[in-house]
Amino acid sequence: MLRKFIIFLLFFALSFSVNAQRVGLVLSGGGATGFAHIGVLKALEENNIPIDYITGTSAGAMIGALYVSGYSPEQIERLVLSESFEVIASGDIEDEFKNYIEVPEADASLFSLRLAKDSIFQKALATNVLNPTFLDLQMMHILGLNPKNAHENYDSLFIPFRCIASDIVTKRSILFKSGSLNQSVRASMTYPFFINPIEIDGILMFDGGLYNNFPAEDMYNEFDPDYIIGSNVSYNEPPPVEDDLMSQVRNMFSTHSDYSLPCESGIILEPDMSSIGTFEFDKIKEAIDIGYATTTAKIDSIKQFVTREVTAEEKGELRKKYHAKKPELKVSKIESHGVKKEQADYIESKLQKTKKNEILDYNKLKKRYLRLYQSEHIRSIFPTLEFLDDSTQKLSLSIKKEKPLKVAFGGHYSSRPVNTGFLSLSYSDFQLTPVSVYANAYFGKFYGSVKAGLKFYLPTPSTSYIEPMFVMNRWDYFRSFATFFEDVKPSYIVQNEVFWALQYHIATSSKSKVTVDFSNGKTEDDYYQIEDFTNADTADFTKFLYYSPGIKFSMNSLNRKQFPSAGYDFHAEARFVHGIETTEPGSTSMNQTPTNTVKNWGFLKLHYTNYFMRKGVYRLGIMTEAVYSIQPYFQNFRASILSAHSFAPIPDANLAFYDDFRSNKYFGGGLMNVFSIKDYVDIRIEAYIFQPIVRIKDVNGTAVDGNFFEDRFGMGSASVVYHSPIGPLRATVSYIGSESIINPLTFQVSFGYVLFNRKGIK
């Protein structure tokens, strides 16, 4: 009888032990391969395997943090496969939040460096490839709104949680078990040179995978589970190679992690991630599927030891109760750190515009936050939330100012003799309000320019700034535009322009702005009026002194400053011009009488581009442009053509002078067919029609009106464009259907941008 009683007690104890079985899940780091952990979670939940504790490093910390914040594997999968997350992973922001007024005027820059005042060379290199500001904001919203007590202790999360970061000074790993969850996870996933590190309690934190990429020991010590499931998608670095710099750097930064379990009660799942690289975030779905398949294949082995079950219905009820405890985002206070008080006041005024105690929900905060981040004066923002007693939150911002000095290099380098170099320098800083000073220079035989200016931002609710500038332009047009292997005839038109302008820009929406400006300057044109001029001939000279007020409304969401494949561009401009024309005839002029006349006119210009259709790799765009000007003709035909508006829808149309594509009254348009391959190689086929309403005709050297809609001309191009990390490399065949040229087809291979500084009155 006693023996039966003892057996019963042992059986009862064993049954109780099995029913009380606690399971811990360890998630390794691994970059893009870490998304396999989502598949692991899906398979475990589908088979009712309980998950009672989670420890994670880097990508494992991020996936684990989402799970312990009450999100199901399916919700996590939808999140990471969304277009929004794709944008985050690229370090970009969603198009609807891009602030057009903060986009600098398009120039020919190919790459740039930011320099610090105190140590120009030491601090010139960036510490990160990806700007995580948008990622940090989203993580704060998703992870920062767990119940208040979860900040005090991660045991109070939906599931108890730990994550790992690294202190590279002491060469040790840091275990997070309390504090701001989004901050802890961000510290854990700060991969060196890819994402910039953050500071917590005076320690600069780096990726937890440097010293502890598989926190199984921490799982054992912190939670002492009955059974451990490890999901490992990483490995230790192989020994450094003599001629492989990156292998040497990786070994210097990291120590070997222990990818084994600290106890016998457990299993390690090792999905085969050989087909996915650390930074191949376009393969997230593939990683999830591999993790799911690997776990499903091992599920019977797990069930041999884990007999306790938690059904999907039970998990769903628990998640519903947990989410009910989460507060809504209601930011009532904002504090900025890392900047001076007056700078903090400016930053906070951009977020809480109406009044200091304005309550911000996430949509309102996100819009203003991302607009602020796009300022050229801000390098990064890191947000954390602190819960207040009135059910609102205080938003703490760690601000890193952008390095004030910027140098940029670029230009356009072609197989045709139109090469142009580019250099720019700028200095940006702000005390009470941001200020930027800039200067650039283009240098080449075809085009040369100098531009200098200043941007003074105003403390207005909408972003606005005043911009005085000074510009000198020079175009030197050749009679022929050949390749380097052919002779080029001498210049036949040289245009010089000098002007100053005062502009006021104000944002009317995230995608639009209004610019009001006043320009004052002069143009000086040297030109010949016949084809067969000689060195003995003297050129005609026309000078035009002017002032011109104008207003422009513009909208832009194009994805590139040249050769775009998505987005739209619209601008409408109206100007009045008053000036004095002075013409001194040269030896080729039919009229040898000098003139000095006053000219007054106004014009309206409309332009619209829209890549409105996307099907697979194909994108279709449309462009239309119209100009209506009441400009009177100048002394002769050539001077009148030089002062007229030009239609140049393809970049190469700006590299020569075409009489037939200039008019004071015209409309034009065309279609852009773009076949995008992998988002960085485009095949472009473009065709346009130019329709002068009134063509400018040459009658014995004098400009006269032609008949209404008398002629029209075509223009087009076919290109292969490789969008390299610094600029476009292209091969282009262009067609210019002008009566003034013998061969309408031209071919060139080029690298860089065909972009110039602005003109005074065009």
Side-chain angles (χ1 to χ4, degrees), residues 223-275:
F223 301 118
D224 190 24
D226 300 302
Y227 191 81
I228 297 177
I229 301 172
S231 177
N232 177 35
V233 294
S234 196
Y235 54 87
N236 285 317
E237 287 293 332
V241 179
E242 182 179 355
D243 58 352
D244 187 344
L245 176 61
M246 288 309 298
S247 74
Q248 298 169 24
V249 171
R250 286 193 294 263
N251 272 272
M252 282 189 289
F253 266 96
S254 62
T255 60
H256 281 207
S257 295
D258 183 358
Y259 290 103
S260 64
L261 296 179
C263 61
E264 295 182 358
S265 300
I267 187 172
I268 297 180
L269 306 171
E270 295 184 296
D272 181 6
M273 310 305 294
S274 57
S275 63

Side-chain angles (χ1 to χ4, degrees), residues 283-450:
K283 295 184 177 181
I284 291 176
K285 184 65 170 69
E286 181 182 343
I288 295 172
D289 291 343
I290 293 173
Y292 180 84
T294 301
T295 308
T296 301
K298 296 284 187 179
I299 206 70
D300 289 339
S301 299
I302 296 172
K303 285 185 174 181
Q304 286 182 9
F305 298 94
V306 180
T307 57
R308 171 173 154 249
E309 291 189 351
V310 177
T311 65
E313 291 74 15
E314 291 174 315
K315 272 284 174 66
E317 278 301 312
L318 292 172
R319 285 196 176 99
K320 189 183 296 184
K321 291 178 181 178
Y322 184 79
H323 281 293
K325 299 177 185 177
K326 285 187 174 183
E328 293 182 23
L329 183 71
K330 296 179 181 179
V331 173
S332 59
K333 294 183 179 180
I334 298 176
E335 286 186 0
S336 302
H337 306 279
V339 292
K340 297 177 182 178
K341 183 181 183 304
E342 56 269 24
Q343 297 165 346
D345 290 342
Y346 176 84
I347 290 169
E348 291 160 20
S349 70
K350 289 297 180 182
L351 296 175
Q352 284 184 309
K353 296 181 179 182
T354 56
K355 49 192 175 182
K356 271 290 184 181
N357 59 350
E358 178 188 11
I359 305 297
L360 301 177
D361 61 17
Y362 183 64
N363 290 331
K364 190 178 293 184
L365 174 65
K366 180 180 180 181
K367 181 178 179 180
R368 297 178 186 179
Y369 185 101
L370 293 179
R371 182 174 295 178
L372 175 67
Y373 145 69
Q374 292 172 73
S375 166
E376 61 182 311
H377 305 88
I378 304 293
R379 184 169 86 239
S380 67
I381 311 173
F382 188 84
T384 54
L385 291 172
E386 179 182 330
F387 293 98
L388 303 177
D389 293 335
D390 60 356
S391 299
T392 65
Q393 301 91 35
K394 179 175 73 174
L395 177 65
S396 294
L397 302 175
S398 176
I399 308 289
K400 299 293 183 184
K401 289 172 56 182
E402 185 57 270
K403 296 170 186 175
L405 298 173
K406 179 182 178 182
V407 57
F409 306 89
H412 178 245
Y413 307 96
S414 171
S415 59
R416 296 168 66 189
V418 289
N419 293 299
T420 305
F422 175 81
L423 171 68
S424 74
L425 297 168
S426 65
Y427 177 86
S428 302
D429 202 356
F430 73 98
Q431 297 300 323
L432 293 176
T433 187
V435 176
S436 297
V437 181
Y438 63 85
N440 70 36
Y442 290 81
F443 39 92
K445 179 172 175 56
F446 166 67
Y447 176 66
S449 180
V450 173

Side-chain angles (χ1 to χ4, degrees), residues 366-643:
K366 180 180 180 181
K367 181 178 179 180
R368 297 178 186 179
Y369 185 101
L370 293 179
R371 182 174 295 178
L372 175 67
Y373 145 69
Q374 292 172 73
S375 166
E376 61 182 311
H377 305 88
I378 304 293
R379 184 169 86 239
S380 67
I381 311 173
F382 188 84
T384 54
L385 291 172
E386 179 182 330
F387 293 98
L388 303 177
D389 293 335
D390 60 356
S391 299
T392 65
Q393 301 91 35
K394 179 175 73 174
L395 177 65
S396 294
L397 302 175
S398 176
I399 308 289
K400 299 293 183 184
K401 289 172 56 182
E402 185 57 270
K403 296 170 186 175
L405 298 173
K406 179 182 178 182
V407 57
F409 306 89
H412 178 245
Y413 307 96
S414 171
S415 59
R416 296 168 66 189
V418 289
N419 293 299
T420 305
F422 175 81
L423 171 68
S424 74
L425 297 168
S426 65
Y427 177 86
S428 302
D429 202 356
F430 73 98
Q431 297 300 323
L432 293 176
T433 187
V435 176
S436 297
V437 181
Y438 63 85
N440 70 36
Y442 290 81
F443 39 92
K445 179 172 175 56
F446 166 67
Y447 176 66
S449 180
V450 173
K451 178 181 177 181
L454 178 146
K455 293 181 180 179
F456 181 82
Y457 286 80
L458 302 174
T460 53
S462 295
T463 304
S464 67
Y465 61 90
I466 296 172
E467 182 180 18
M469 68 173 66
F470 173 80
V471 181
M472 297 176 63
N473 288 317
R474 184 178 191 270
W475 283 270
D476 190 342
Y477 293 99
F478 309 105
R479 169 51 59 190
S480 67
F481 272 85
T483 67
F484 278 124
F485 306 103
E486 301 175 45
D487 292 332
V488 179
K489 293 181 181 179
S491 308
Y492 74 109
I493 295 173
V494 177
Q495 287 190 292
N496 290 281
E497 179 183 44
V498 180
F499 70 92
W500 65 266
L502 181 63
Q503 298 183 321
Y504 173 66
H505 309 263
I506 182 167
T508 51
S509 73
S510 63
K511 289 293 181 293
S512 65
K513 68 177 180 178
V514 169
T515 300
V516 180
D517 82 273
F518 180 87
S519 300
N520 175 234
K522 66 177 180 178
T523 62
E524 295 182 341
D525 299 333
D526 292 281
Y527 52 92
Y528 295 96
Q529 295 199 48
I530 62 173
E531 294 273 343
D532 300 321
F533 59 88
T534 68
N535 291 334
D537 289 316
T538 58
D540 287 58
F541 173 77
T542 295
K543 179 171 68 173
F544 184 62
L545 298 172
Y546 66 85
Y547 69 78
S548 175
I551 185 170
K552 182 177 181 179
F553 173 79
S554 53
M555 303 175 65
N556 194 302
S557 69
L558 295 177
N559 62 336
R560 300 186 184 100
K561 60 183 176 181
Q562 203 159 52
F563 312 113
S565 60
Y568 60 84
D569 172 32
F570 172 78
H571 53 261
E573 180 180 9
R575 299 196 72 89
F576 171 76
V577 182
H578 168 81
I580 300 173
E581 176 213 350
T582 301
T583 295
E584 298 177 7
S587 61
T588 64
S589 176
M590 297 181 185
N591 185 348
Q592 292 293 316
T593 305
T595 60
N596 191 293
T597 57
V598 175
K599 307 286 186 184
N600 293 289
W601 73 86
F603 72 81
L604 175 66
K605 181 176 182 179
L606 302 173
H607 176 96
Y608 178 67
T609 296
N610 189 1
Y611 289 84
F612 62 93
M613 190 174 82
R614 174 176 178 174
K615 288 191 175 181
V617 300
Y618 178 65
R619 287 100 170 101
L620 176 63
I622 186 172
M623 189 279 280
T624 59
E625 184 173 285
V627 169
Y628 189 86
S629 173
I630 58 172
Q631 177 180 342
Y633 291 134
F634 279 30
Q635 168 65 11
N636 56 63
F637 170 77
R638 179 59 55 196
S640 299
I641 282 287
L642 284 167
S643 65

Side-chain angles (χ1 to χ4, degrees), residues 20-271:
Q21 207 171 27
R22 311 298 286 174
V23 179
L25 178 63
V26 181
L27 305 177
S28 75
T33 63
F35 290 94
H37 300 319
I38 301 173
V40 173
L41 289 166
K42 281 179 65 178
L44 293 176
E45 281 215 354
E46 284 180 9
N47 288 276
N48 298 331
I49 304 296
I51 302 171
D52 301 297
Y53 316 104
I54 291 182
T55 58
T57 294
S58 194
M62 183 183 74
I63 302 303
L66 290 168
Y67 190 80
V68 303
S69 295
Y71 296 97
S72 70
E74 290 73 23
Q75 288 174 316
I76 299 172
E77 182 176 25
R78 285 195 297 271
L79 171 66
V80 301
L81 293 179
S82 66
E83 289 185 10
S84 178
F85 191 83
E86 183 181 344
V87 172
I88 289 173
S90 68
D92 204 353
I93 63 175
E94 293 165 310
D95 284 342
E96 64 181 296
F97 296 105
K98 288 183 178 177
N99 197 15
Y100 172 49
I101 197 170
E102 295 289 359
V103 177
E105 186 173 341
D107 57 35
S109 60
L110 292 167
F111 65 95
S112 62
L113 293 173
R114 283 282 185 178
L115 310 174
K117 290 185 293 184
D118 54 346
S119 181
I120 289 179
F121 298 106
Q122 183 178 354
K123 297 182 180 179
L125 296 177
T127 59
N128 58 291
V129 174
L130 181 144
N131 191 319
T133 298
F134 188 21
L135 169 66
D136 293 337
L137 177 66
Q138 291 285 73
M139 286 179 61
M140 181 206 73
H141 182 227
I142 296 172
L143 304 180
L145 288 172
N146 281 290
K148 182 178 179 181
N149 55 350
H151 285 246
E152 300 164 0
N153 190 328
Y154 290 169
D155 290 345
S156 299
L157 289 161
F158 179 63
I159 292 172
F161 177 69
R162 303 288 186 268
C163 68
I164 310 296
S166 296
D167 178 359
I168 63 171
V169 176
T170 61
K171 302 293 188 295
R172 65 188 180 92
S173 60
I174 305 292
L175 178 73
F176 288 106
K177 58 174 69 178
S178 63
S180 171
L181 183 61
N182 67 293
Q183 187 179 52
S184 301
V185 172
R186 172 66 165 75
S188 181
M189 55 189 287
T190 302
Y191 195 90
F193 305 120
F194 187 69
I195 300 179
N196 60 287
I198 62 171
E199 191 174 290
I200 301 178
D201 297 331
I203 300 174
L204 199 62
M205 297 290 181
F206 284 85
D207 194 287
L210 295 180
Y211 307 129
N212 185 0
N213 205 29
F214 188 66
E217 190 74 34
D218 298 283
M219 170 64 73
Y220 188 77
N221 294 333
E222 288 290 313
F223 301 118
D224 190 24
D226 300 302
Y227 191 81
I228 297 177
I229 301 172
S231 177
N232 177 35
V233 294
S234 196
Y235 54 87
N236 285 317
E237 287 293 332
V241 179
E242 182 179 355
D243 58 352
D244 187 344
L245 176 61
M246 288 309 298
S247 74
Q248 298 169 24
V249 171
R250 286 193 294 263
N251 272 272
M252 282 189 289
F253 266 96
S254 62
T255 60
H256 281 207
S257 295
D258 183 358
Y259 290 103
S260 64
L261 296 179
C263 61
E264 295 182 358
S265 300
I267 187 172
I268 297 180
L269 306 171
E270 295 184 296

